[in-house]
Amino acid sequence: MAKSSTTYVCSDCGQAEPRWMGQCPGCQAWSTLVEGRVSAPAGGRGAPGAGRAAAGRAAAARVLPLRDVIAARVPRLHTGIGELDRVLGGGIVPGSLVLLGGSPGIGKSTLTNMALGHLAASGHTTLYVSGEESAQQIRLRAERLESPACRALDVPVLAETDLETVLATMETLRPDVIVVDSVQTLHAAELSGAPGSVGQVREVAARIMQVAKAASVAVLLVGHVTKEGSLAGPRVLEHLVDCVLQFEGERERTYRTLRALKNRFGSTNEAGVFEMRSDGLVEVLDASARFVGEATRKAGSVVLASMEGTRPLLVEVQALVSSSELVPPRRVVNGIDRNRLALVLAVLGRHAGVGCGTADVFVNVVGGVRVDEPGADLAVALAVASAQRNVPLGGEAPMLPVAAFGEVGLTGELRSVGHSDRRLEEAAKFGLCQVIHPAGAATLRQALAGALGEAGRAARAA
Ligand SMILES: Nc1ncnc2c1ncn2[C@@H]1O[C@H](COP(=O)(O)OP(=O)(O)OP(=O)(O)O)[C@@H](O)[C@H]1O
Ligand SMILES: [Mg+2]
């Protein structure tokens, strides 16, 4: 029988050491030694691989052309939460491993409780493993979520942090779907590292995966991620799991977005929008209508016609430009990339006559939505220019908000982005007749002239 021992392996150069050290003796890197487990054949001492050498070469495996491989079409498990199913590519694939990451308090437990409740209501066997909350706490949440479609109170719960107990329960019950909340709280007794350390998290996930694939149990692993994504855990699991979902938004805001960062069984372009309510997370299917309805139409506001995967979404982008006491001035963003704002400000200053040099610039995508596409550039540029000139886009008192989309090039030109027709259709659906986009204006300067009227023409002349 194989016995196992622990070793510490440098994650940079692969050097193995019998005990933990702050600095790797191999490559001199600091804090790179990670605890791992090695199995050695019984009675065998020495380097890994010695056992195989003693036993001779392994027999060659038989290989098959893919045509002859029998792949049964197993139907996906529908969680009953349309947005979650869509992001997963049409539901959970039996036996797959899905990692759901998100910052604390964002609603990971709520979403997974709801998914299991829906699966339980449709006759699937489930198990909710929690290393963070007691069964009583989980029940209180489940009471909020319970409905005829979501039998959250019927879901069996195991409040446990010992990995062996969790694996044994999984193998015995063999549920269709299991949630492990969270992967950082489970503890593998063979490793001395604290729960949540890189070695522990990797071991826990690998062992769960072995059992899940063998018993065809679909697993939803919940993982905590800090805003920087730096916490030990989820990042090291991304290669291991089939699907990585990121639940993002701000705790104090209503809207949360679910995105696939990796999906072996579907597109990573999809995103779902949810709203946190007292009875759980509610899918927001009319997000565009809400954001357009709430748009302020004041100086510094524009509606961005963006794409969330294959779905168009209208969101309000707001900017504020104010004089600054600080050197260098502040550049504060919420919902867009900070570097993207720097690029847009540079192009505005150099090619469109709108300089914000010594002023503070704040840009916010309303509702806690995050936009991660170059198509947002033009909307950001228009919002900043409108704020800087203190002139609303579309005239002094626009009846309807102005919409925009398009990429801003470094030479001041506007570049087209994908799905223009769908973005325009979505804007038209909500009556937004003034849409500024690359097909109507070749340069950022022209776009500003069209959108800001007199103030824009002043920019053109500058
Ligand atoms: N009664 C309620 N009404 C509305 N929202 C609530 C209610 N109770 C909790 N919430 C919301 O649910 C959020 C917590 O949800 P949940 O426990 O699912 O988050 P989590 O991501 O699992 O958090 P953690 O990282 O602590 O495990 C809170 O931040 C709060 O916004
Ligand atoms: Mg939780």
Side-chain angles (χ1 to χ4, degrees):
M1 199 190 120
K3 67 173 185 179
S4 65
S5 61
T6 58
T7 187
Y8 294 84
V9 182
C10 173
S11 53
D12 280 3
C13 72
Q15 167 113 356
E17 292 295 322
R19 67 189 67 81
W20 190 81
M21 293 181 196
Q23 188 179 24
C24 170
C27 66
Q28 317 302 323
W30 287 93
S31 304
T32 51
L33 261 64
V34 175
E35 188 182 21
R37 203 161 53 101
V38 281
S39 293
R45 294 172 71 89
R52 182 188 292 183
R57 287 169 65 97
R62 190 170 153 255
V63 292
L64 281 178
L66 284 173
R67 200 183 307 286
D68 300 337
V69 173
I70 298 161
R73 293 247 175 266
V74 191
R76 293 190 183 223
L77 304 164
H78 297 286
T79 63
I81 306 173
E83 298 283 275
L84 175 61
D85 283 344
R86 207 163 50 79
V87 173
L88 283 167
I92 303 176
V93 173
S96 65
L97 201 64
V98 177
L99 174 67
L100 173 67
S103 44
I106 199 75
K108 302 177 293 297
S109 306
T110 310
L111 185 67
T112 47
N113 273 198
M114 286 177 68
L116 290 192
H118 279 100
L119 285 161
S122 59
H124 292 289
T125 49
T126 57
L127 176 65
Y128 185 81
V129 177
S130 178
E132 303 195 331
E133 294 165 296
S134 66
Q136 290 82 351
Q137 287 173 312
I138 301 162
R139 187 196 151 113
L140 289 178
R141 185 189 301 108
E143 280 173 7
R144 275 172 46 211
L145 308 177
E146 180 77 3
S147 72
C150 175
R151 315 295 303 201
L153 290 169
D154 292 351
V155 174
V157 60
L158 171 67
E160 181 58 68
T161 55
D162 179 50
L163 176 64
E164 294 302 332
T165 312
V166 172
L167 293 178
T169 314
M170 242 172 106
E171 278 178 317
T172 311
L173 296 182
R174 292 184 173 238
D176 295 330
V177 185
I178 164 175
V179 168
V180 177
D181 188 1
S182 67
V183 67
Q184 279 114 337
T185 51
L186 290 200
H187 181 249
E190 318 82 81
L191 302 188
S192 59
S197 61
V198 175
Q200 280 280 357
V201 165
R202 211 159 45 185
E203 175 73 8
V204 165
R207 301 273 307 280
I208 289 178
M209 188 177 74
Q210 279 169 8
V211 175
K213 300 274 174 200
S216 197
V217 177
V219 183
L220 286 172
L221 286 178
V222 174
H224 298 279
V225 192
T226 59
K227 272 210 163 141
E228 299 75 38
S230 59
L231 196 71
R235 295 281 156 194
V236 300
L237 300 183
E238 286 183 3
H239 295 289
L240 190 78
V241 300
D242 297 310
C243 186
V244 181
L245 304 185
Q246 178 81 20
F247 204 24
E248 36 182 50
E250 284 162 52
R251 238 179 323 179
E252 55 281 4
R253 306 283 192 95
T254 329
Y255 301 109
R256 280 113 210 254
T257 321
L258 183 72
R259 279 172 214 280
L261 302 184
K262 162 183 171 175
N263 194 349
R264 285 185 179 148
F265 313 114
S267 156
T268 50
N269 286 331
E270 295 300 340
V273 182
F274 291 91
E275 184 182 351
M276 180 61 92
R277 296 218 195 127
S278 58
D279 56 349
L281 289 158
V282 181
E283 300 161 55
V284 182
L285 300 172
D286 59 344
S288 291
R290 292 190 191 199
F291 293 134
V292 170
E294 291 165 4
T296 56
R297 285 174 272 162
K298 292 190 175 149
S301 160
V302 66
V303 168
L304 161 66
S306 71
M307 291 298 293
E308 282 288 356
T310 53
R311 213 170 49 159
L313 176 69
L314 303 177
V315 282
E316 185 187 2
V317 176
Q318 293 186 339
L320 173 69
V321 179
S322 69
S323 58
S324 178
E325 308 285 308
L326 298 175
V327 180
R330 275 177 291 199
R331 301 286 182 251
V332 182
V333 293
N334 209 347
I336 62 158
D337 182 26
R338 200 165 184 273
N339 291 330
R340 217 63 214 178
L341 173 66
L343 183 150
V344 167
L345 290 182
V347 177
L348 270 174
R350 178 72 180 78
H351 296 293
V354 180
C356 297
T358 55
D360 285 338
V361 179
F362 304 84
V363 174
N364 181 34
V365 182
V366 176
V369 177
R370 187 168 172 79
V371 186
D372 240 346
E373 59 152 346
D377 290 354
L378 180 56
V380 172
L382 290 172
V384 170
S386 158
Q388 202 260 8
R389 295 267 189 269
N390 200 21
V391 176
L393 294 169
E396 270 313 317
M399 295 296 288
L400 284 165
V402 171
F405 65 88
E407 183 178 352
V408 172
L410 291 182
T411 57
E413 85 281 15
L414 296 186
R415 311 187 76 94
S416 58
V417 286
H419 303 289
S420 294
D421 44 349
R422 304 208 49 200
R423 296 174 200 250
L424 289 167
E425 271 168 28
E426 185 77 354
K429 203 164 110 189
F430 293 96
L432 307 187
C433 39
Q434 194 175 353
V435 185
I436 300 163
H437 59 108
T443 63
L444 182 55
R445 198 177 276 267
Q446 285 173 5
L448 286 180
L452 285 171
E454 277 305 313
R457 275 188 280 283
R460 194 175 202 171

